[in-house]
């Protein structure tokens, strides 16, 4: 079947690419800097980069959700109840450092992923800690201007278990809100990955189809 400029334009239209007015000969011989194949290649590269960012974001958000959920157990399974029973708070300190690290990582990854919804989630995470800034600082967790967290280990270890539970436990809502928001971040990242995968497959199929035709007729 003979490839026509009209056919190429129609393929470009379906792929959501600008329709090029160059002749079929230019397309086939690669004499244009704005060929359909070049546009497809650029689209594939952009999608691959975006997908990688969302994969990193999903992983970071899942880890944060898990780290925050550690503080939400109640009764005998509570991290704080176990510390009282063993008279050893080291597991709490370790959980706090893990939570802070995962929180900062997610915040940074959200910024790199960009997008209005990710910006919104970033603000929600920052609000979860800034709204409780004084309480967090009372146990050695400092909230910076950019929303990131840091831990004063000496101050935290000088804080009694009841106070740690009051600030971080299930009843306060800090870790609960962070766990909720990070779950939404993960869901959104997964949705974007699926969307990009679908677009990538569609573009890749179109690219392969056109490439084979060029090889046959060019």
């Amino acid at each position: 079947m003979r490839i026509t400029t009209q056919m190429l334009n129609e393929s470009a239209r379906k792929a959501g690419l600008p329709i090029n007015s160059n002749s079929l000969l230019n397309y086939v011989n690669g004499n244009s800097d704005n060929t359909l194949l070049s546009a497809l290649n650029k689209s594939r590269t952009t999608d691959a980069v975006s997908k990688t960012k969302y994969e990193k974001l999903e992983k970071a958000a899942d880890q944060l959700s898990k780290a925050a959920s550690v503080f939400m157990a109640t009764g005998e399974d509570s991290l704080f109840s176990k510390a009282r029973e063993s008279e050893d708070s080291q597991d709490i300190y370790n959980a706090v450092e893990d939570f802070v690290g995962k929180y900062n990582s997610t915040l940074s990854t959200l910024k790199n992923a960009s997008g209005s919804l990710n910006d919104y989630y970033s603000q929600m995470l920052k609000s979860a800690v800034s709204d409780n800034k004084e309480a967090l600082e009372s146990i050695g967790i400092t909230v910076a201007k950019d929303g990131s967290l840091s831990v004063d280990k000496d101050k935290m270890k000088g804080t009694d278990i009841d106070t740690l539970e009051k600030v971080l436990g299930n009843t306060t809502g800090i870790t609960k809100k962070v766990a909720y928001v990070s779950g939404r971040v993960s869901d959104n990242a997964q949705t974007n990955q699926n969307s990009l995968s679908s677009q990538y497959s569609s573009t890749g199929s179109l690219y392969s189809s056109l490439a084979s035709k060029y090889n046959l007729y060019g």
Side-chain angles (χ1 to χ4, degrees):
M1 180 178 63
R2 181 173 178 271
I3 304 174
T4 66
T5 302
Q6 182 178 359
M7 291 167 60
L8 288 170
N9 286 342
E10 178 63 17
S11 294
R13 185 188 65 78
K14 290 181 178 179
L17 300 170
I19 295 176
N20 198 317
S21 60
N22 288 317
S23 68
L24 174 62
L25 183 61
N26 283 336
Y27 278 115
V28 174
N29 292 332
N31 294 329
S32 171
D33 291 332
N34 189 30
T35 66
L36 176 58
L37 290 181
S38 295
L40 286 172
N41 274 324
K42 183 178 180 180
S43 177
R44 283 158 60 97
T45 300
T46 301
D47 285 354
V49 171
S50 297
K51 186 178 179 183
T52 298
K53 287 183 178 181
Y54 278 113
E55 287 173 345
K56 291 180 179 179
L57 180 56
E58 181 186 15
K59 181 178 180 180
D62 284 343
Q63 291 177 339
L64 174 58
S65 180
K66 183 177 180 180
S69 296
V70 168
F71 297 96
M72 295 166 59
T74 58
E76 295 180 355
D77 293 329
S78 167
L79 187 66
F80 307 99
S81 294
K82 291 179 180 179
R84 291 190 185 94
E85 184 178 353
S86 65
E87 297 183 351
D88 185 354
S89 300
Q90 188 59 49
D91 285 346
I92 297 177
Y93 306 148
N94 293 340
V96 169
E97 289 191 59
D98 185 54
F99 170 76
V100 168
K102 297 300 192 304
Y103 171 90
N104 289 339
S105 178
T106 301
L107 205 62
S108 175
T109 310
L110 272 170
K111 182 179 179 180
N112 291 332
S114 70
S116 58
L117 191 54
N118 286 327
D119 290 342
Y120 171 70
Y121 286 140
S122 178
Q123 284 303 122
M124 287 187 69
L125 283 179
K126 291 178 182 179
S127 294
V129 297
S130 63
D131 290 346
N132 298 276
K133 183 177 181 179
E134 291 184 4
L136 288 169
E137 290 183 345
S138 71
I139 64 171
I141 301 176
T142 301
V143 183
K145 291 183 179 180
D146 63 356
S148 62
L149 303 176
S150 59
V151 180
D152 182 333
K153 296 181 182 179
D154 292 334
K155 186 172 184 178
M156 182 176 61
K157 291 180 178 181
T159 305
D160 61 87
I161 296 177
D162 288 345
T163 301
L164 290 171
E165 182 175 23
K166 183 178 180 181
V167 176
L168 299 170
N170 189 58
T171 59
T172 61
I174 299 175
T175 52
K176 184 184 295 185
K177 185 174 182 180
V178 170
Y180 173 80
V181 175
S182 57
R184 302 289 73 74
V185 172
S186 177
D187 289 344
N188 181 56
Q190 180 62 59
T191 297
N192 278 280
Q193 287 179 66
N194 292 339
S195 176
L196 288 168
S197 293
S198 176
Q199 292 176 28
Y200 182 85
S201 296
S202 175
T203 304
S205 296
L206 179 58
Y207 175 88
S208 298
S209 176
L210 289 172
S212 65
K213 290 177 180 178
Y214 286 165
N215 290 335
L216 181 59
Y217 294 104

